[in-house]
Amino acid sequence: MRMYHQALRLRTTIALAVLLGAVLLVAGCGSSSSSTSSAAASSSASSTSATTAASSGSSSTSTSSCGPKPGVKATGTPINIGTIDTKQPGTDFSDGPNMINAWFTCVNANGGVNGHPLKLFVEYDQTQPAQIAAAAKQLIQTDHVVAIDGVFDLLECTIDQSYWKQLGIYEMGAGIAPECWSTPNSAAVNMGPRYSSDGAVQYGLSQHPSKIVFVQSNVPGTGYIAAGPTALAKAAGVPITALTANVPINDANSLALNLVNDAGSNGWVVLNFTPPEALVILQAAQKLGLEDRVKGWGCSTPCNTDFLASALGPKWNHKLFVNAELTSPDDHNGPEMQLYKAVLKQYGSAVAGGLGSFSEMGYLLGKFLTDALQKDPGPYTMANVNAAIKAIKDEKTELLCQPWVYGNYPLHIPNNADFTTTPDNGKMVTAQGCFNVSSADPQIAAYRKVAGTAPSTNPPTQ
């Protein structure tokens, strides 16, 4: 399984992801969020699928290496960590916190953090601003968490940014709202829709097309995403047409034909949709015999899934090029990738999607926090823990193309280098190794001006 397993059920994820202030003002207050705490991932009906998926990548790595004292259970005072995540019909990001819980369980079974177990408090929401704000206060005032880690949410970065700044909390997550990357108190391990679209367009530009056609769902806020690809194309001197399409797509044939006609025979078409919507466009193009009528096709990260590669079939082998924010578990199996797979297999029964980017992101968010706290002898107060988070730098991992850093910056885009993948007989395989997303996007340029450009770590393929 590959990128965004849960996205297979999300026909409106990208649309919701870019909702801004105007939408928030009209959103109503809903029922109370559900709060859970656990030091272990609970079993679920999905345990078999998760275990099977995890075992698909052979791993001889022992999970005891996730903690400082193999086999020694942590018995000290728990360190309370909080997270807020979207979970509602059609949009369920619970694989993220479930994987963090799997990692915490592994750490707690092998020494904890200087003898202290990690305890995760999870608040789920249904994309309602008042509910998200209440969840933040629940975590701080009732659950007494000292850090916010692993936020997988459509709106949380927008709603809670000022509250975290007021408290001195430096949130880590895998968000979607623009504020996850553009504010001083939030840093993400993923790239989000704008920078992922940048990467997809950048690969297309490297193939020297005469034109780029960039298309995404027709919702408020898409201008923010399109601004990145537009800046890259302008810097390259290549014309670009930015289009939107209503979702769900009702007339894929007409849309595919219009995209191809607009791009021309030497043009490049880039899609920014969830896999189901991208699939209907690409299948329509194939049905009409249009797949070879342009120079090439691209897509942002959600298309990086074996679901799409398998559904398209061999006619699209090496014709579609997809941005990938994290290392592929399918064709990478270095020591850290093996540890991730082993932790998922042993402790991740609640991770419904198994191997893939959601669980990879959860693994990284748990690991980065743990690494930071292992360097801090305590006491584990909110001030001390968040100082440790803010001080994170040079976190090298096989799962990203560059070391990850937090730092004292006005904005945070620490994941700004990635891969390109392509379908190959039902799998998504690497077509281009690690590359830096272009600084022609002014947001990327602003980040690199204050944080510099991290060197590529070129994750191993073996």
Side-chain angles (χ1 to χ4, degrees):
M1 297 289 290
R2 298 297 303 271
M3 183 65 183
Y4 291 154
H5 297 275
Q6 299 292 347
L8 308 186
R9 303 191 302 269
L10 310 183
R11 284 191 170 264
T12 58
T13 295
I14 291 177
L16 287 171
V18 295
L19 294 181
L20 300 176
V23 177
L24 303 181
L25 290 175
V26 300
C29 177
S31 59
S32 300
S33 57
S34 59
S35 177
T36 62
S37 66
S38 175
S42 61
S43 62
S44 72
S46 63
S47 60
T48 300
S49 63
T51 301
T52 301
S55 63
S56 65
S58 62
S59 171
S60 60
T61 299
S62 169
T63 55
S64 64
S65 62
C66 66
K69 295 182 179 180
V72 178
K73 185 177 180 180
T75 58
T77 306
I79 302 172
N80 294 341
I81 309 299
T83 183
I84 301 172
D85 306 274
T86 300
K87 184 177 182 179
Q88 61 191 25
T91 308
D92 183 350
F93 292 155
S94 58
D95 268 5
N98 286 341
M99 186 64 199
I100 295 174
N101 246 332
W103 173 259
F104 283 1
T105 303
C106 187
V107 172
N108 294 345
N110 294 282
V113 173
N114 298 315
H116 295 271
L118 295 159
K119 187 174 184 179
L120 186 66
F121 289 80
V122 182
E123 285 284 323
Y124 288 117
D125 72 84
Q126 291 76 48
T127 59
Q128 297 169 2
Q131 184 186 32
I132 295 169
K137 290 182 170 58
Q138 165 76 24
L139 290 171
I140 299 299
Q141 298 172 7
T142 302
D143 300 326
H144 305 294
V145 305
V146 295
I148 301 297
D149 181 42
V151 173
F152 289 72
D153 201 274
L154 296 175
L155 296 178
E156 192 281 332
C157 291
T158 303
I159 304 303
D160 293 330
Q161 57 166 319
S162 59
Y163 188 49
W164 302 146
K165 186 175 182 180
Q166 173 190 334
L167 295 174
I169 284 178
Y170 290 87
E171 169 189 68
M172 293 195 296
I176 294 177
E179 289 83 0
C180 296
W181 296 270
S182 61
T183 52
N185 289 68
S186 179
V189 296
N190 65 328
M191 295 177 68
R194 173 164 172 163
Y195 311 118
S196 173
S197 294
D198 281 357
V201 168
Q202 187 171 337
Y203 181 83
L205 290 169
S206 74
Q207 305 306 302
H208 309 293
S210 57
K211 184 178 183 180
I212 296 286
V213 174
F214 176 68
V215 59
Q216 60 181 322
S217 52
N218 183 23
V219 295
T222 48
Y224 163 79
I225 297 173
T230 298
L232 267 63
K234 182 178 180 181
V238 176
I240 183 170
T241 298
L243 303 172
T244 59
N246 294 329
V247 290
I249 294 169
N250 294 318
D251 188 356
N253 289 345
S254 295
L255 177 57
L257 183 60
N258 289 339
L259 293 174
V260 167
N261 287 339
D262 204 348
S265 60
N266 197 46
W268 201 273
V269 178
V270 176
L271 312 177
N272 182 33
F273 294 92
T274 57
E277 302 300 339
L279 178 61
V280 298
I281 297 172
L282 296 170
Q283 287 180 328
Q286 180 175 325
K287 175 184 175 182
L288 297 174
L290 303 175
E291 67 269 23
D292 294 319
R293 286 266 305 274
V294 294
K295 189 166 189 177
W297 298 76
C299 193
S300 58
T301 299
C303 291
N304 188 33
T305 166
D306 290 352
F307 152 77
L308 188 134
S310 177
L312 287 175
K315 274 199 171 183
W316 284 92
N317 284 356
H318 306 279
K319 293 179 182 178
L320 173 68
F321 297 89
V322 182
N323 182 261
E325 300 172 16
L326 291 97
T327 308
S328 164
D330 278 355
D331 57 7
H332 293 74
N333 205 38
E336 189 179 9
M337 185 66 80
Q338 291 181 37
L339 176 60
Y340 148 68
K341 292 175 181 178
V343 172
L344 176 61
K345 180 177 181 179
Q346 183 169 348
Y347 298 106
S349 61
V351 181
L355 290 176
S357 289
F358 270 108
S359 55
E360 283 186 90
M361 292 172 192
Y363 166 85
L364 290 178
L365 289 162
K367 184 177 185 297
F368 290 170
L369 176 65
T370 304
D371 289 350
L373 295 183
Q374 297 286 18
K375 301 172 185 175
D376 184 354
Y380 297 106
T381 63
M382 184 181 292
N384 286 351
V385 168
N386 283 278
I389 291 172
K390 189 177 179 181
I392 292 174
K393 64 181 296 185
D394 297 331
E395 276 276 357
K396 295 181 176 67
T397 168
E398 293 172 22
L399 277 62
L400 297 175
C401 275
Q402 60 196 148
W404 197 86
V405 62
Y406 206 116
N408 185 26
Y409 306 129
L411 73 168
H412 297 275
I413 316 175
N415 184 354
N416 56 79
D418 54 8
F419 313 84
T420 302
T421 62
T422 187
D424 188 343
N425 295 322
K427 298 289 185 182
M428 296 297 291
V429 300
T430 302
Q432 178 187 29
C434 297
F435 66 95
N436 290 328
V437 174
S438 174
S439 293
D441 185 323
Q443 297 276 16
I444 297 289
Y447 175 73
R448 289 185 179 146
K449 183 177 181 180
V450 297
T453 302
S456 173
T457 54
N458 280 313
T461 57
Q462 300 298 323

